[in-house]
Every structure is written in C-alpha cells, then in structure tokens.
Amino acid sequence: MIKLAAALGAILFGIILLPVVQPVCAQERSERISFASGRSSKTVQDSIAGYETVNYRVNVRAGQRLAASLRTDNASNYFNIWAPRVSEAIYNSSTSGELADVIVRSSGDYRIQVYLMRNAARRNETADYSLKVEVTGGDPASGDDAEPQPDYADGFSGGPDFWEVANVPPGDRLNVRSRPTAQAPIIVRLRNGAVLRNLGCRMNGQTRWCKVERRDGGGSGWAAGRFLIESGG
C-alpha cells in the first residue's frame, strides 16, 4: 500500500512539473485609412512578421466601390476584407487574387486585414508590403471638408466617357471578353494605357464588369473594372 501511494505521488508530481504550452496569439494592430482632401485613394507601406496582423479601417457608404491591391515581397502575404457586422470575409486575396474590387452593400467601417499564412507565420517570416486602398463612386468618407470626386461607372452611376487600362501586371494584358464573366471567350487582349469608350458597368457577383468599345471601331466587349481607371479620352 505504501509503495502504491508512493507511485501515485510520483506520477502526480511529474504531471505538475509538465511544461505549460502557451497558445500562439496573433499580435494585432489597427490603423485608420483616411484620404486627403480631393483624393479617393491612399497607399500605405508597412511590414509584418510571424503571427502579426494589421487591420486597416476605412469608412465606406453603401453603393460605393471599395478597391484594394497588395504588393509584397513575401508570397505568403495576403489580405481579407471584412464588412461591418459580418462574420465572414467578403474578400479573400489568397483565393481571389491580389486586386479586390467590390461594391459595398452597407455603410460603415470596412476592415482590410493584412496577414501571413500560417506556414510562414510559424517560421516567423517577415513581409514588406504596399497596400493601396481606393473608395470611389461618390465622395470618400474622409470628413466634411472632402471635395466631390469624379463619377465612376460602379454599377450605380454612368461614369466617365472613357476608361484607360491600368494595373495589369508587367508582361500581361487585359482580357476583353464577349460576356461579363471570366468564363466567356476572349475577344481581344490589351496593354496598359489603352483607351476605351465606356458603355456602362454592371455587377456579376462581387466583380464589377464594364462594357467597353475600342476607339478604332474594333468592336465591344466586357472587361474587369479593377483594371480600368478614368481617362480623358
């Protein structure tokens, strides 16, 4: 009986001395995105390491277009976009690409969360990145002194007369398709700088598609709106 008690005591003593494993907690910080008077976009440069995340908050009104793009030196660096009072991200760059372009459905603070994937965070990798945030389709929500912004074809207004192809990755071209979907046949592929007549835009899911026409009479088609910026023609 004495030996049994001694054995149980040794087991309990060993359990007490087992190391306590602390859970890995993400280090989060938050920053407010606001636009200078007369501007509708802002680019921030920052860096993160390991499990650190940064939440960029920007105020957007219902019906406005929220666009975000990320350039980074780490292939495991991504961002999510969260709408107010919504439990799931409305955009995930790890599955949908590094250029987000959405029409928001409700007003409030939208959160753009920049992070490293778990495998990179576990290795305590770092990422130096540049995040561009743009709010169009009306006045940016940056205060009472904000100046009116140009009209954009965001599915709720007419937009400018002409678009210019922009933000297409180096060596690539913009696909102009027969219908407003990524599965439609390609009509023509255009380089950055090409100017197109605006024939109006519409939403297909979370993607903004714009019907465009080449100025040389080369026909019309549909292009993803995130690669089009206002042009003077």
Side-chain angles (χ1 to χ4, degrees), residues 13-73:
F13 183 72
I15 293 174
I16 292 172
L17 293 182
L18 285 175
V20 177
V21 179
Q22 297 291 340
V24 177
C25 297
Q27 300 175 357
E28 292 197 29
R29 53 189 171 93
S30 182
E31 295 188 13
R32 168 69 60 178
I33 295 286
S34 59
F35 305 116
S37 180
R39 302 298 298 270
S40 59
S41 67
K42 183 175 183 178
T43 300
V44 294
Q45 295 181 333
D46 207 337
S47 63
I48 56 175
Y51 287 93
E52 183 181 13
T53 61
V54 186
N55 294 300
Y56 296 96
R57 300 183 183 275
V58 57
N59 194 264
V60 190
R61 296 198 311 274
Q64 286 189 306
R65 167 181 171 252
L66 172 60
S69 59
L70 183 71
R71 293 188 177 185
T72 176
D73 63 358

Side-chain angles (χ1 to χ4, degrees), residues 31-163:
E31 295 188 13
R32 168 69 60 178
I33 295 286
S34 59
F35 305 116
S37 180
R39 302 298 298 270
S40 59
S41 67
K42 183 175 183 178
T43 300
V44 294
Q45 295 181 333
D46 207 337
S47 63
I48 56 175
Y51 287 93
E52 183 181 13
T53 61
V54 186
N55 294 300
Y56 296 96
R57 300 183 183 275
V58 57
N59 194 264
V60 190
R61 296 198 311 274
Q64 286 189 306
R65 167 181 171 252
L66 172 60
S69 59
L70 183 71
R71 293 188 177 185
T72 176
D73 63 358
N74 191 319
S76 296
N77 186 195
Y78 296 102
F79 69 90
N80 294 334
I81 299 180
W82 301 80
R85 301 172 296 279
V86 175
S87 59
E88 293 185 5
I90 63 172
Y91 192 89
N92 184 339
S93 72
S94 67
T95 57
S96 301
E98 63 184 12
L99 293 171
D101 187 348
V102 298
I103 304 300
V104 306
R105 300 180 181 275
S106 59
S107 300
D109 271 0
Y110 282 72
R111 178 165 56 98
I112 304 172
Q113 181 187 50
V114 179
Y115 65 96
L116 283 168
M117 293 290 280
R118 186 181 299 273
N119 60 333
R122 225 176 7 239
R123 295 191 293 267
N124 201 36
E125 293 184 11
T126 62
D128 295 321
Y129 63 86
S130 173
L131 176 70
K132 181 179 180 181
V133 180
E134 184 178 19
V135 176
T136 54
D139 298 344
S142 58
D144 297 335
D145 60 346
E147 297 178 3
Q149 298 301 304
D151 196 16
Y152 287 78
D154 55 12
F156 298 88
S157 56
D161 292 332
F162 294 94
W163 296 118

Side-chain angles (χ1 to χ4, degrees), residues 155-221:
F156 298 88
S157 56
D161 292 332
F162 294 94
W163 296 118
E164 178 181 334
V165 178
N167 301 318
V168 177
D172 203 352
R173 298 188 183 187
L174 173 63
N175 296 326
V176 179
R177 299 180 181 272
S178 61
R179 299 188 310 278
T181 170
Q183 285 70 48
I186 298 172
I187 297 174
V188 67
R189 304 181 76 229
L190 301 174
R191 297 181 186 274
N192 284 330
V195 177
L196 304 165
R197 192 179 305 277
N198 173 26
L199 302 180
C201 298
R202 56 177 289 188
M203 296 300 296
N204 185 356
Q206 290 290 339
T207 303
R208 183 173 61 101
W209 291 88
C210 296
K211 191 172 185 180
V212 296
E213 182 181 63
R214 295 172 61 181
R215 292 190 301 172
D216 60 5
S220 62

